[in-house]
Every structure is written in C-alpha cells, then in structure tokens.
Amino acid sequence: MEAAARLGRLRREAAEYYRGHRVPERMEEALNALFPLCPEDLYGELANYLSKFSKAPVICKLVGRKVFDGVGQPTLEVEIYCTVKNYEKRICSTVMATHSQIPENALPETIEADAKERNDSVHTAVEWVNESLSTMLRGLEPTDQCQADKMLGEYFANKVEEKREIEKEEEVGQEGEEEEEEEAAKVAPAPALRPPTPKSKQKKGGKGKKVLVEVKPIPPAEPAEPVLSGSLAIGGTSLAIARAAATIRRVPLYLHTALLKHNQETPKEMTLPLPMVTLLNCEKNSSTKLKLVKEVMFIPPVELSFKQGIERVLDIQKEMTRLLESPGKMGLFLFCFQPPASKGVSRLGCLRTGYDSLEQLLLQMQTACNNIGLELGTDMYLALNCAAHELMDYDKEKYEVLTGTFKSPDEMVAMYVEMINKFPFIIALIDPLRKEDREQWSSICCALGSKCYLIAEDAATQISQLKSDQNINIAMCSGVVLKYINQTKVSDLIELTGILDGQRHITILGSPDGESSDESLVDLAVGLGARFLKLGGLARGERVAKYNRLLAIEEELAANGALR
C-alpha cells in the first residue's frame, strides 16, 4: 500500500511538472505538425521541433592558449564553451593577429626586447582568459555582445588603473631615494639652463645681403600608446563571443556583425569591400635609394567582381615576378632603370625588392601591366603606402625620401601634388605624412582630396584613442585603416565605423604585420560595410585564406540575391 501510494504521488508530481512546462501540449503540436510531412528521420525532426523551446546557450568556460601566428610569433587563441541543452559544448575559437610598433631598421637589442615583451603579454593574456574572464563571463549569453564588451571594457580599465597605481608607488619610492642621495651629497643647485634658440637659416637678400629667417620647428613625435601586457585577451575574447553568437544563431559572422551594427535589422543587400592587394614590399633598408614607398598595392576597378579582380592581380603578379627574375629581358627602353632582382616573399605575402627612384618603380608597374594587355588607370589602379613616420630624420627635421635626399613637410605636400598630377593612376596614398603634421595633412587634402584617397594608418593611432566626444581624433584625411588588435572589441569597431560613416570618412580594415590564419577580419569588414580591405599579398597561406574567405562570401551573397 505504501509503495503504491508513493508511486501515485510521483505520477501526480510528474504530471504536474510536465503540464507546468506545457510538455503534453507541445508534444501534441509537434506530432500534428510532423505527421503530414512523414519525415524519414521522425525523431530527428521531433528534436528539431522541440529544440526551439530549449534555453538559450550560455557561456560555461573560456580556454586560452598560446599559439603561433603566420610569421612564427606567439599569439593568443581563445576557445568558447557553452552549455547547450544541458551539455557542455565547444562552440568556436579565434586566433588574434599581432601588431608590432618596431620599425624595420630597429636595433637587434630592440627587436629582442620586443620579442620578450610580446611573449610575456601572451602569457598574461592566457592567464586572464583561463581565470578572471572565464569566471566573469560564465552564464552570459554569447548573443549579448554589448553586455560582454561592457564587462570586458570595465575589466581592462581596472587593469590599467592597477598598473597606474603600481607605477605611482614606484615613482614615489624612486623620488624618496633621489632625495636621500641629494641630501647626503649636498649637491649644489645647478645653473639655470638657457631656453633653446629657435633654428634660423640665412636667406639671400638683395645686393648681397643675408636675411635671417626663423624656421618653424616640426611638431615632436607623439609617444606611442603603451600596450598593456595581456591586452590580447580582451580583443580575442570579444571576437570569440561574436563568432560563438553567429554559430549559435546559424548565420555567417558577416551577417551577425551587420545585425549588430544595424540594431538587428537584416540588410537587404551587402557590398563587398574593394581589396587593396599588396604586390611589392619595398625595403627601406636595402642598398637601393628609394625610401618613400613601403608597399605598392593594386586596386581592381569597381565594375569587376572580386573574383575577376583577384585573377587580374594574380596575372600582374606573375608578370612582375618574371620581370624581377629576368631584368635583362624587360626591353631596351628600360636600360637606365633596371631594378634589382626580387629578394623573395615578405611577411606581408608579397614580393620584396627595392628601387632607386619612384619613376623606376612606376615604370616597371606600367610595363608589367602593358605586357599582359592592361592599362594602369583603366584596368587597374595603384595605392602607395608611404609609411612617412619611418622617413623622418629628427636631427634634420625632414623626411628622407631618397638616400641623401630630404624634404620638409611642406615640400612633401608639393612632391605628392606633382606625383599625382603626373601619375593619375595612383588613387590612394596611405600615411603620406606623420600624424603630427596636421597642418600639412590639411594642405594635401585641399590639394588632392578630389583626386585620390589620403588615408591614415599609423597616423590614425590606436582605436582606443580615435574616439573623442563622438569625433575622430585624427588629422584631416579621406579615411582610416582600422586594425583588430590588442584590447579592441567588436563593439568598438561598430561604434567607430558608425562615426566614420556619419563624417563621410571611408573605412579600411587592415591586416597587421603578424597575421594569423583566422579569417574573422574578412567577415567583420563585410558586416561593417568597409570600403576597402587591406590584407597584404597573395603569397602566404594566412593571407590567401582571407582572400579565399572573401571569394566564398561573394558566392554566397550572389546566390542569395543579396550582393549589391
């Protein structure tokens, strides 16, 4: 009797439990809906039908690990695990690209110190992900990108404040030691220093007289933004959460990004960014003279599909390789402009070489195109990355554009105006000046803004410094190259591209120098509506993978009738 009573009570509790969750009602709905279909896999269809009533997946843990990027440098991988239908499931992972602020001509000890700092930063990032961030984000729905990025931003701000407090304590300790040393040594007060005399130069006047003209000093270089050790964890986690949300929603990352930017409103059409494909990496340290150009990039005309544009660039690349490997066969009219042979493939995934003049470089570009029946300015366009911040000689306060040839910021503007007028097929200049030369940025934009894009890459500083009271804190320019590095979050890119769109600046998403095999950057560029995508060349696997991803997106959008 007692066992029967207990069994009856359990049956009543079970019935009440299932009725409370509407199980009988929903089972009846499922059976009625599926019977006319007579699915081959009935239980599979039942599972699919009922899964829409299950709880949303939530993050249960993050896993961070040290991996290596495309050039063998350490970087961070972040894996997302979610609780899905009561089971722990690995959803996705992302690998962060790395960016170095060390110039090409850095000393060996500087490069070694940077490598150690990078390794320490990755180690710290792995600790943050596996410990603090995994605990902090547990139970959060990956689809709530805004909340996730808010929490990540607050965590990072606290880490920055912690570092500042430590530095203050160290400064106080150092000051105390210095005061004790001064008291013990009874150092006499130092003589007052005279203020620096402004530079002047002699200018010839009439009748042999010389007039002293004061030369305005150039603005000093702004210090590089310090990178907090471990900051990769913030960017890696934010991007991993975005990918997890796209996976859970069963949509591509580019569409998920577009939905985030446009408040969950599905765009009817999407436009692919135009590729800036790097063909040549001109070494500034080589025995050749030209220092003005760091990268030579091709931009296909807009009327071509992405696939057609890439195929055209590949044809030019093959011809350029042939010309560089057999310089004696380029034709008699090039006898005074023979470039050195190619020096292999750079980390940017392109041919590495050098030239003695800009005319020599551009003449070879024209020759390569003409040899395969193409014309620069019609069938293909050029973009030049000048990386002007690497050209400044601060002793002379001038840019070294050729070995031994120096130009002031104002002379640089005049040189670019002459260049674009002479070679109109150059439609974009990246970093033609340092970011500090704001007056000259305004001048060059007024002179050339209607003829070519004037783009800030290094001149745009870090993303965290770009936002200032809903304004873009950079010199006047046509657009900005944004890179997903360090503590950058997906929400930062969405906000910043919205501001750029509102100010009619163009957005270029750029690939850092230490690129990984992760393809997320391409999806972000498409979803954010970037005008250009700067991925490097077509000769390294981690970069070619991104071009292949863009090919796949083009096919998918075209098949769905959503390609503008």
Side-chain angles (χ1 to χ4, degrees), residues 218 390-400 406:
I218 64 168
E390 298 179 7
L391 304 178
M392 177 57 71
D393 184 317
Y394 284 93
D395 292 329
K396 293 182 172 62
E397 296 195 340
K398 289 186 175 183
Y399 294 96
E400 188 176 15
F406 299 86

Side-chain angles (χ1 to χ4, degrees), residues 295-331:
E295 288 179 81
V296 180
M297 292 161 284
F298 279 121
I299 302 176
V302 292
E303 59 267 19
L304 296 183
S305 69
F306 175 73
K307 183 178 181 180
Q308 290 170 332
I310 291 299
E311 288 174 346
R312 187 171 289 185
V313 172
L314 281 169
D315 288 339
I316 300 172
Q317 179 174 289
K318 290 175 186 175
E319 180 60 18
M320 275 297 300
T321 303
R322 188 187 71 80
L323 293 177
L324 290 171
E325 289 177 350
S326 55
K329 301 178 182 178
M330 291 176 60

Side-chain angles (χ1 to χ4, degrees), residues 270-284:
M270 301 186 77
T271 305
L272 292 184
L274 278 171
M276 286 182 165
V277 187
T278 306
L279 187 75
L280 294 178
N281 180 201
C282 300
E283 292 185 309
K284 297 190 177 185

Side-chain angles (χ1 to χ4, degrees), residues 365-385:
M365 293 292 103
Q366 287 180 303
T367 302
C369 290
N370 293 340
N371 285 355
I372 58 174
L374 300 177
E375 183 180 349
L376 280 177
T378 303
D379 304 310
M380 189 62 67
Y381 299 91
L382 282 190
L384 302 181
N385 180 6

Side-chain angles (χ1 to χ4, degrees), residues 170-294:
E170 291 175 350
E171 286 175 6
V172 170
Q174 288 175 357
E175 288 173 3
E177 290 175 5
E178 289 172 3
E179 287 175 3
E180 289 176 4
E181 289 174 2
E182 288 176 3
E183 189 69 26
K186 295 182 180 180
V187 178
L193 295 173
R194 294 173 59 188
T197 305
K199 288 188 177 182
S200 60
K201 66 178 180 180
Q202 291 183 342
K203 185 177 181 181
K204 291 183 179 179
K207 298 181 181 180
K209 293 182 180 179
K210 293 183 178 180
V211 181
L212 289 179
V213 179
E214 186 173 321
V215 178
K216 185 179 179 182
I218 64 168
E222 296 176 8
E225 182 185 19
V227 178
L228 184 65
S229 181
S231 59
L232 279 171
I234 304 301
T237 301
S238 177
L239 185 55
I241 288 173
R243 288 198 67 170
T247 302
I248 288 167
R249 297 174 70 173
R250 297 179 182 177
V251 298
L253 178 57
Y254 67 82
L255 180 56
H256 176 66
T257 304
L259 291 171
L260 288 174
K261 183 172 181 177
H262 300 290
N263 297 318
Q264 303 303 318
E265 184 178 338
T266 304
K268 294 180 180 178
E269 291 181 321
M270 301 186 77
T271 305
L272 292 184
L274 278 171
M276 286 182 165
V277 187
T278 306
L279 187 75
L280 294 178
N281 180 201
C282 300
E283 292 185 309
K284 297 190 177 185
N285 306 338
S286 68
S287 57
T288 49
K289 295 179 181 179
L290 181 64
K291 295 181 180 294
L292 179 65
V293 179
K294 183 174 183 177

